[in-house]
PDB file of all heavy atoms in Angstrom:
ATOM      1  N   LEU N  30     108.186  21.853 -11.567  1.00  0.00           N
ATOM      2  CA  LEU N  30     108.021  22.730 -12.724  1.00  0.00           C
ATOM      3  C   LEU N  30     109.402  23.162 -13.203  1.00  0.00           C
ATOM      4  O   LEU N  30     110.147  23.808 -12.474  1.00  0.00           O
ATOM      5  CB  LEU N  30     107.181  23.951 -12.343  1.00  0.00           C
ATOM      6  CG  LEU N  30     106.926  24.952 -13.465  1.00  0.00           C
ATOM      7  CD1 LEU N  30     106.125  24.314 -14.600  1.00  0.00           C
ATOM      8  CD2 LEU N  30     106.195  26.171 -12.905  1.00  0.00           C
ATOM      9  N   GLY N  38     103.932  31.512 -33.504  1.00  0.00           N
ATOM     10  CA  GLY N  38     104.766  31.927 -34.617  1.00  0.00           C
ATOM     11  C   GLY N  38     104.874  30.859 -35.692  1.00  0.00           C
ATOM     12  O   GLY N  38     104.376  29.738 -35.549  1.00  0.00           O
ATOM     13  N   THR N  59     110.457  14.851 -13.458  1.00  0.00           N
ATOM     14  CA  THR N  59     110.490  13.977 -12.291  1.00  0.00           C
ATOM     15  C   THR N  59     111.663  14.380 -11.400  1.00  0.00           C
ATOM     16  O   THR N  59     112.632  14.990 -11.880  1.00  0.00           O
ATOM     17  CB  THR N  59     110.626  12.500 -12.712  1.00  0.00           C
ATOM     18  OG1 THR N  59     111.770  12.359 -13.558  1.00  0.00           O
ATOM     19  CG2 THR N  59     109.379  12.014 -13.444  1.00  0.00           C
ATOM     20  N   ALA N  75      91.375  26.505 -31.855  1.00  0.00           N
ATOM     21  CA  ALA N  75      90.550  25.930 -30.790  1.00  0.00           C
ATOM     22  C   ALA N  75      90.904  24.461 -30.575  1.00  0.00           C
ATOM     23  O   ALA N  75      91.261  23.749 -31.521  1.00  0.00           O
ATOM     24  CB  ALA N  75      89.069  26.059 -31.145  1.00  0.00           C
ATOM     25  N   ASP N  99     106.520   6.086  -3.727  1.00  0.00           N
ATOM     26  CA  ASP N  99     106.904   5.454  -2.462  1.00  0.00           C
ATOM     27  C   ASP N  99     105.707   4.893  -1.711  1.00  0.00           C
ATOM     28  O   ASP N  99     105.800   3.846  -1.083  1.00  0.00           O
ATOM     29  CB  ASP N  99     107.607   6.468  -1.545  1.00  0.00           C
ATOM     30  CG  ASP N  99     108.938   6.902  -2.101  1.00  0.00           C
ATOM     31  OD1 ASP N  99     109.594   6.099  -2.791  1.00  0.00           O
ATOM     32  OD2 ASP N  99     109.324   8.057  -1.852  1.00  0.00           O
ATOM     33  N   ILE N 101     101.644   4.405  -2.401  1.00  0.00           N
ATOM     34  CA  ILE N 101     100.546   4.527  -3.353  1.00  0.00           C
ATOM     35  C   ILE N 101      99.282   5.063  -2.694  1.00  0.00           C
ATOM     36  O   ILE N 101      98.569   5.877  -3.274  1.00  0.00           O
ATOM     37  CB  ILE N 101     100.312   3.180  -4.088  1.00  0.00           C
ATOM     38  CG1 ILE N 101      99.524   3.403  -5.370  1.00  0.00           C
ATOM     39  CG2 ILE N 101      99.653   2.159  -3.187  1.00  0.00           C
ATOM     40  CD1 ILE N 101      99.520   2.199  -6.301  1.00  0.00           C
ATOM     41  N   ASP N 102      98.997   4.647  -1.457  1.00  0.00           N
ATOM     42  CA  ASP N 102      97.774   5.095  -0.779  1.00  0.00           C
ATOM     43  C   ASP N 102      97.825   6.595  -0.501  1.00  0.00           C
ATOM     44  O   ASP N 102      96.843   7.317  -0.737  1.00  0.00           O
ATOM     45  CB  ASP N 102      97.554   4.305   0.509  1.00  0.00           C
ATOM     46  CG  ASP N 102      97.353   2.819   0.239  1.00  0.00           C
ATOM     47  OD1 ASP N 102      96.545   2.484  -0.660  1.00  0.00           O
ATOM     48  OD2 ASP N 102      97.999   2.002   0.910  1.00  0.00           O
ATOM     49  N   ASP N 103      98.949   7.081  -0.021  1.00  0.00           N
ATOM     50  CA  ASP N 103      99.111   8.508   0.233  1.00  0.00           C
ATOM     51  C   ASP N 103      99.033   9.299  -1.065  1.00  0.00           C
ATOM     52  O   ASP N 103      98.392  10.358  -1.116  1.00  0.00           O
ATOM     53  CB  ASP N 103     100.451   8.771   0.935  1.00  0.00           C
ATOM     54  CG  ASP N 103     100.696  10.253   1.139  1.00  0.00           C
ATOM     55  OD1 ASP N 103      99.942  10.872   1.918  1.00  0.00           O
ATOM     56  OD2 ASP N 103     101.622  10.796   0.507  1.00  0.00           O
ATOM     57  N   HIS N 111      92.833  16.786  -6.223  1.00  0.00           N
ATOM     58  CA  HIS N 111      93.003  17.483  -7.499  1.00  0.00           C
ATOM     59  C   HIS N 111      92.125  16.862  -8.584  1.00  0.00           C
ATOM     60  O   HIS N 111      92.380  17.044  -9.773  1.00  0.00           O
ATOM     61  CB  HIS N 111      94.470  17.457  -7.922  1.00  0.00           C
ATOM     62  CG  HIS N 111      95.345  18.250  -7.004  1.00  0.00           C
ATOM     63  ND1 HIS N 111      95.581  19.593  -7.194  1.00  0.00           N
ATOM     64  CD2 HIS N 111      96.003  17.894  -5.878  1.00  0.00           C
ATOM     65  CE1 HIS N 111      96.366  20.033  -6.218  1.00  0.00           C
ATOM     66  NE2 HIS N 111      96.635  19.018  -5.417  1.00  0.00           N
ATOM     67  N   LEU N 131      94.480   5.676 -12.494  1.00  0.00           N
ATOM     68  CA  LEU N 131      93.522   6.717 -12.151  1.00  0.00           C
ATOM     69  C   LEU N 131      93.439   7.697 -13.295  1.00  0.00           C
ATOM     70  O   LEU N 131      94.306   7.745 -14.153  1.00  0.00           O
ATOM     71  CB  LEU N 131      93.875   7.399 -10.825  1.00  0.00           C
ATOM     72  CG  LEU N 131      95.284   7.936 -10.599  1.00  0.00           C
ATOM     73  CD1 LEU N 131      95.413   9.353 -11.119  1.00  0.00           C
ATOM     74  CD2 LEU N 131      95.577   7.921  -9.124  1.00  0.00           C
ATOM     75  N   GLY N 133      93.514  11.403 -14.603  1.00  0.00           N
ATOM     76  CA  GLY N 133      94.068  12.684 -14.200  1.00  0.00           C
ATOM     77  C   GLY N 133      93.593  13.813 -15.093  1.00  0.00           C
ATOM     78  O   GLY N 133      92.529  13.704 -15.709  1.00  0.00           O
ATOM     79  N   PRO N 134      94.379  14.886 -15.208  1.00  0.00           N
ATOM     80  CA  PRO N 134      93.976  16.040 -16.007  1.00  0.00           C
ATOM     81  C   PRO N 134      93.715  15.669 -17.461  1.00  0.00           C
ATOM     82  O   PRO N 134      94.387  14.808 -18.018  1.00  0.00           O
ATOM     83  CB  PRO N 134      95.181  16.983 -15.923  1.00  0.00           C
ATOM     84  CG  PRO N 134      96.004  16.491 -14.804  1.00  0.00           C
ATOM     85  CD  PRO N 134      95.699  15.047 -14.619  1.00  0.00           C
TER      86      PRO N 134
END
Side-chain angles (χ1 to χ4, degrees):
L30 180 63
T59 54
D99 293 329
I101 199 167
D102 297 312
D103 176 66
H111 294 271
L131 51 87

